[in-house]
Amino acid sequence: MTAIVTAEGLRKSFARRDPASPPVLDGLDLELEEGAVLALLGPNGAGKTTTVRILTTLLRPDAGRATVAGHDVVRDASRVRELISLTGQQVAVDDKLSGAENLTMMGHLAHLPRRAVRDRVDALLTAFDLADAAGRRVATWSGGMRRRLDLAAGLLTRPRVMFLDEPTTGLDPRSRQALWDVVRGVVADGTSVFLTTQYLEEADRLARRVALVDGGRVVAEGTPAQLKREVGEAGVELVLASPADAALVAPALAVPTPEGARVRVPTDGSVAHVRAVLSAVEATGVVPEHWEVRAPTLDDVFLALTGHAGQERAARPAGVAA
Amino acid sequence: MRYLLRDVTTMSVRGLRLVTRDLDAMITAVVLPVIILLLFVLVFGGAVDIGTGYITYVTPGVILLAAGFGAANTALAVERDMSSGMVERLRSMPVAAWTVLTGHVVASLVKNLASTAIVFGVSILMGFRPEATPWEWLAAVGVILLFVAWITWLAALVGVLVRSPDAAGGFTFGVMFLPYVSSAFVPVETLPTWLRGFAEHQPVTPVIETVRALLSGSAGPGGEAALAVAWCLGLGLVSMVAAGLAFRARR
Ligand SMILES: Nc1ncnc2c1ncn2[C@@H]1O[C@H](COP(=O)(O)OP(=O)(O)O)[C@@H](O)[C@H]1O
Ligand SMILES: [Mg+2]
């Protein structure tokens, strides 16, 4: 088990532009194991993009050290660039070119042998289910297709590490699924993936390890299962008509009586358990206004691990590169 | 640097594709210069008396004006690359990312060559009778392209520096100003005194005069031509280096 990406004590501040702003990265440490997927999970403004930009040689850290495959991202930047690919937060493809033209251009820029470009482009278009649209201008493509092309553009050279900055933000559920499949395929081919996301579910589905970032540092790190255990499992949530109703229902479910009208019962999500909970509620004669089984969300994770909601930071003014 | 030539070629192909598929840029390059030419000749042609036919006088100016319009498209295209994530992607790759700028400049040169040919064509249809030898033609087009190269590198610099498409578009006004306050459309002597000094000492005037002299077959080995080339080369190099430095500095 070797680390392909490491970061130690990364610090970055844009204070020169805005003296009042706190540091964006405040001693960030992390490690991506070769062949694995690491998800950097955090709300808007947490410092995810800044971390990716440092690791992909676009930005120098003020302090700290980062390496890719043992090469320092500042001193050996050009060596690092030969080993990585970056698919940034924005889709970076040319709308006026066709899909095939976009990839061919990237193949030449990636300095593939001229004769290999065409085969590689065709293979990627097929693998990413874009072959049918390949001749059409990208401007006419859907958001999901554009994102897949964007990913493909990073794979012409078979990079050792692929950096994906919020690859599914703004995509509909189906395109998101398709993109996850693509990423799984990339990992199966041996590429390590460094992913940032705002979605707990995405981290859960794709990543072997998750690093939770907040305020420019990693506040928790572990497998998705470990993190969720810290937060607590899913729960049956009942919204009742009044606190009085809640006071009737809670004892029947063996949970503490809440202050409001909302009762939460931890569940393993099995049909048997959920049915048992609902039966117990029914037996009290109280009719809930609403109920649902809810998995912990990013907000729950944040609330549990940082003591504040994940959206709090998002309320700060958005920055230039946010 | 082994791949520099290949990178520049790839970027130039990209730049040309982007330009030829950009309806705005194509109208600016193909239709607008012709409209301006017609406008000047048909509307002002009667009013300005400069001895020779006004079409002969005004054709080089229209070509330079068109170059100014076209440069705004270059500034926009560069700004788009800077803010769209394209430059970020290139910077994470083992390519010389600044070649993206040369791609746009090459595209602009080709595009302006086409505009120039179209304007000359229409102008000749309308009665323009240049008396240049093939060598003089070549020299005239060469001077025009030098001018275009300068304006385009300046546009690339603007595209790198600005932080919104609107600001990039504002660049047009700046470069449009130069041909108007020169001998492009009216003799400098007819300008108000306070403008005349500027008009006589800005780059467009010697470029215009040189192209005119070459086309009318009356160019001696003049100081005007040397001045025009010096202006364009000097400003072109400064703009190019400044664009390169700004590109490196902007993160
Ligand atoms: N180039 C920059 N100049 C000034 N502030 C920046 C710059 N880039 C990012 N920031 C600020 O740094 C913070 C973290 O940004 P970012 O790394 O983009 O977060 P995330 O990707 O997690 O949303 C934000 O508050 C943002 O405003
Ligand atoms: Mg971000």
Side-chain angles (χ1 to χ4, degrees), chain A residues 17 49 53 56-59 78 80-82 84-88 90-98 101-102 104-114 117 137 149-151 153-154 320, chain B residues 1-11 13-24 80-96 99-100 163 249-251:
Chain A
R17 285 174 210 175
T49 297
R53 294 183 76 219
T56 54
T57 77
L58 299 177
L59 199 67
S78 54
V80 169
R81 285 181 199 132
E82 290 169 4
I84 62 166
S85 87
L86 165 65
T87 302
Q90 295 164 285
V91 174
V93 295
D94 282 324
D95 278 350
K96 292 198 185 85
L97 304 192
S98 72
E101 286 170 341
N102 264 292
T104 304
M105 172 179 91
M106 283 299 163
H108 286 295
L109 292 177
H111 304 150
L112 291 185
R114 273 170 207 281
V117 172
R137 287 192 195 182
L149 180 69
D150 198 32
L151 247 68
V320 186
Chain B
M1 291 299 102
R2 217 166 86 219
Y3 292 105
L4 195 58
L5 195 64
R6 187 172 176 194
D7 292 347
V8 169
T9 310
T10 308
M11 290 298 191
V13 170
R14 168 178 187 259
L16 278 168
R17 282 185 173 148
L18 292 182
V19 159
T20 50
R21 294 173 195 183
D22 180 347
L23 191 62
D24 260 15
R80 201 176 303 129
D81 280 351
M82 298 299 295
S83 62
S84 71
M86 182 55 80
V87 166
E88 292 265 286
R89 158 164 275 157
L90 295 174
R91 281 183 162 147
S92 74
M93 296 169 65
V95 292
T99 53
V100 74
R163 288 180 189 245
R250 172 134 182 233
R251 296 260 132 163

Side-chain angles (χ1 to χ4, degrees), chain A:
Chain A
M1 187 184 100
T2 50
I4 185 133
V5 177
T6 67
E8 280 166 43
L10 289 185
R11 279 173 206 285
K12 185 72 196 177
S13 157
F14 294 103
R16 234 170 355 131
R17 285 174 210 175
D18 175 9
S21 67
V24 172
L25 295 187
D26 193 11
L28 183 129
D29 304 308
L30 52 80
E31 208 173 276
L32 165 60
E33 207 180 292
E34 174 129 44
V37 181
L38 173 71
L40 206 57
L41 178 66
N44 237 330
K48 302 184 295 298
T49 297
T50 305
T51 305
V52 168
R53 294 183 76 219
I54 289 173
L55 295 176
T56 54
T57 77
L58 299 177
L59 199 67
R60 279 164 171 267
D62 297 339
R65 207 176 100 82
T67 63
V68 171
H71 304 285
D72 189 287
V73 296
V74 175
R75 271 179 296 131
D76 299 333
S78 54
R79 189 79 191 89
V80 169
R81 285 181 199 132
E82 290 169 4
L83 301 172
I84 62 166
S85 87
L86 165 65
T87 302
Q89 200 165 344
Q90 295 164 285
V91 174
V93 295
D94 282 324
D95 278 350
K96 292 198 185 85
L97 304 192
S98 72
E101 286 170 341
N102 264 292
L103 287 188
T104 304
M105 172 179 91
M106 283 299 163
H108 286 295
L109 292 177
H111 304 150
L112 291 185
R114 273 170 207 281
R115 265 183 259 162
V117 172
R118 185 151 192 201
D119 286 347
R120 185 77 184 130
V121 166
D122 288 346
L124 282 169
L125 286 169
T126 307
F128 285 32
D129 198 14
L130 296 169
D132 291 341
R136 289 210 325 259
R137 287 192 195 182
V138 173
T140 65
W141 288 20
S142 73
M145 291 165 71
R146 292 155 55 89
R147 207 35 159 164
R148 296 210 296 282
L149 180 69
D150 198 32
L151 247 68
L155 288 170
L156 285 148
T157 51
R158 304 173 196 273
R160 294 275 298 279
V161 192
M162 187 170 203
F163 290 86
L164 301 175
D165 194 3
E166 296 198 25
T168 66
T169 300
L171 290 191
D172 61 84
R174 249 191 62 206
S175 307
R176 178 166 299 163
Q177 287 284 354
L179 206 108
W180 288 345
D181 288 341
V182 165
V183 173
R184 287 190 194 107
V186 169
V187 177
D189 285 347
T191 300
S192 314
V193 172
F194 187 105
L195 169 90
T196 81
T197 180
Q198 299 193 38
Y199 307 118
L200 185 62
E201 191 195 356
E202 184 159 283
D204 198 6
R205 294 288 184 91
L206 288 180
R208 186 181 304 175
R209 294 190 81 81
V210 178
L212 204 70
V213 270
D214 184 48
R217 24 162 111 233
V218 174
V219 293
E221 209 265 349
T223 64
Q226 280 169 343
L227 281 186
K228 275 196 286 189
R229 224 171 297 130
E230 283 186 53
V231 178
E233 328 86 293
V236 179
E237 281 202 1
L238 301 153
V239 180
L240 301 152
S242 66
D245 277 359
L248 277 175
V249 169
L253 298 172
V255 292
T257 303
E259 285 180 13
R262 199 180 272 267
V263 175
R264 187 172 197 273
V265 189
T267 178
D268 57 7
S270 68
V271 173
H273 185 251
V274 173
R275 188 200 291 135
V277 171
L278 295 179
S279 299
V281 175
E282 208 169 24
T284 64
V286 174
V287 180
E289 289 194 333
H290 175 81
W291 70 272
E292 64 180 330
V293 178
R294 207 161 65 82
T297 64
L298 178 57
D299 275 342
D300 297 330
V301 177
F302 265 84
L303 211 54
L305 293 174
T306 69
H308 66 77
Q311 292 312 307
E312 195 175 292
R313 294 193 129 246
R316 297 191 320 180
V320 186

